[in-house]
C-alpha cells in the first residue's frame, strides 16, 4: 500500500510504500464500532441526579384525612404526582465506563489506519522541527497540502513539544506521538499525517490510547 509524501514545508514528493504491519489492509468494522462506542461512553460524566421520594424534604404529614373529603387519597405532598415532589425513576449518579481489552484497541487502531490509508487520507511527512514554536508554520504547512480547513491528526515520532505548541491553538489540528492515538482520534480526522521517522521508533501503535 502506497501513500503520498510531503516535505516539512508541504511540498509533495514521491509515493512511499507503508510497512506491512500495521498496514495489512484489514478493516474490522465491528471492532471499530465497539471501540468508538466505548470512547464516547467513557467521556460521559454520569453526574445527572434527581431526588427520589425519600430524598425530598417535607411531606411527612398526611395532607388530609383518608375519607370524607371528596378528594383523591393522598399520603404526602412530596409524591411524584405533586408539584415540588419527587421524580419517578429519574437519573442517579453512575459510571458509564466500558473496559475494552488491549488487543481489541490495537485491532481497532490498525483498522482505522488502514481505512484512512485506503481512502487516501493518510500521508507521510518529513520530520518536523518548529523551533521556536510558531502556529503560522503549521497553518502554512496545511495550506500547502490543501487541507487547512479539515481536521488533521499529526502523529509525531515521539513527544515533540515544539510541534504540539505550534498546533495547540488550531481547533482542527491534533498532535499526538505515534502509538498514543486511539481509533477514535484517527477516525475523527479527515487527514492523518505521520512523520516518516515514526515507523523507526515503533513497528505499530501500542494501543494505549483512549478507550
Amino acid at each position: 500500500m502506497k501513500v503520498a509524501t510531503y516535505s516539512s514545508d508541504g511540498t509533495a514528493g514521491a509515493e512511499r510504500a507503508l510497512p506491512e504491519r500495521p498496514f495489512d489492509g484489514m478493516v474490522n468494522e465491528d471492532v471499530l464500532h465497539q471501540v468508538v462506542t466505548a470512547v464516547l461512553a467513557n467521556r460521559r460524566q454520569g453526574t445527572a441526579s434527581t431526588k427520589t421520594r425519600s430524598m425530598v424534604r417535607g411531606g411527612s404529614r398526611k395532607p388530609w384525612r383518608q375519607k370524607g373529603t371528596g378528594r383523591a387519597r393522598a399520603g404526602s405532598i412530596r409524591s411524584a404526582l405533586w408539584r415540588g415532589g419527587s421524580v419517578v425513576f429519574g437519573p442517579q449518579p453512575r459510571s458509564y465506563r466500558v473496559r475494552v481489552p488491549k488487543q481489541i484497541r490495537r485491532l481497532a487502531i490498525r483498522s482505522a489506519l488502514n481505512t484512512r490509508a485506503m481512502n487516501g487520507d493518510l500521508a507521510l511527512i518529513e520530520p518536523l522541527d518548529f523551533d521556536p514554536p510558531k502556529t503560522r508554520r503549521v497553518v502554512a504547512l496545511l495550506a500547502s497540502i490543501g487541507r487547512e480547513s479539515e481536521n488533521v491528526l499529526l502523529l509525531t515520532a515521539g513527544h515533540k513539544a515544539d510541534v504540539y505548541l505550534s498546533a495547540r491553538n488550531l481547533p482542527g489540528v491534533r498532535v499526538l506521538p505515534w502509538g498514543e492515538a486511539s481509533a477514535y482520534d484517527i477516525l475523527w480526522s479527515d487527514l492523518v499525517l505521520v512523520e516518516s521517522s515514526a515507523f523507526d521508533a515503533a513497528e505499530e501503535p501500542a494501543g494505549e490510547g483512549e478507550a
Side-chain angles (χ1 to χ4, degrees):
M1 189 183 307
K2 293 185 176 181
V3 295
T5 61
Y6 296 96
S7 63
S8 57
D9 60 358
T11 304
E15 290 188 342
R16 174 179 167 182
L18 295 171
E20 294 184 1
R21 190 172 180 88
F23 299 97
D24 54 5
M26 301 296 293
V27 177
N28 191 318
E29 295 183 359
D30 292 337
V31 168
L32 284 174
H33 178 270
Q34 178 181 347
V35 171
V36 170
T37 302
V39 169
L40 296 178
N42 294 344
R43 291 184 177 184
R44 298 184 66 176
Q45 290 184 324
T47 55
S49 179
T50 55
K51 290 185 177 182
T52 63
R53 187 162 178 163
S54 63
M55 298 176 183
V56 181
R57 183 178 180 181
S60 59
R61 182 176 65 87
K62 189 175 176 65
W64 52 75
R65 60 181 180 164
Q66 182 82 347
K67 295 178 179 295
T69 64
R71 290 178 290 188
R73 294 171 291 184
S76 171
I77 63 173
R78 294 308 177 217
S79 166
L81 303 178
W82 288 59
R83 179 185 179 189
S86 60
V87 177
V88 179
F89 303 129
Q92 295 294 316
R94 55 163 292 188
S95 174
Y96 291 93
R97 185 151 193 86
V98 178
R99 181 185 176 275
V100 179
K102 181 181 292 186
Q103 295 299 326
I104 298 297
R105 296 202 303 267
R106 288 183 172 179
L107 178 58
I109 291 173
R110 290 201 300 268
S111 297
L113 288 173
N114 284 314
T115 298
R116 286 289 172 259
M118 291 187 294
N119 292 339
D121 295 324
L122 187 144
L124 301 180
I125 191 168
E126 292 181 352
L128 301 175
D129 182 15
F130 296 154
D131 188 18
K134 294 292 183 182
T135 301
R136 64 171 175 263
R137 297 184 62 180
V138 180
V139 174
L141 170 63
L142 298 180
S144 299
I145 298 176
R147 310 295 284 267
E148 66 275 11
S149 60
E150 300 179 359
N151 293 332
V152 177
L153 175 62
L154 181 55
L155 300 179
T156 60
H159 292 271
K160 289 192 173 182
D162 56 342
V163 179
Y164 169 77
L165 294 174
S166 299
R168 65 177 177 177
N169 288 334
L170 300 175
V173 180
R174 292 182 184 175
V175 178
L176 291 171
W178 169 260
E180 293 190 11
S182 68
Y184 182 85
D185 295 324
I186 299 171
L187 295 178
W188 164 87
S189 60
D190 300 311
L191 173 67
V192 179
L193 282 177
V194 185
E195 283 190 326
S196 56
S197 57
F199 299 136
D200 302 330
E203 185 177 358
E204 65 173 319
E208 300 299 334
E210 180 183 12

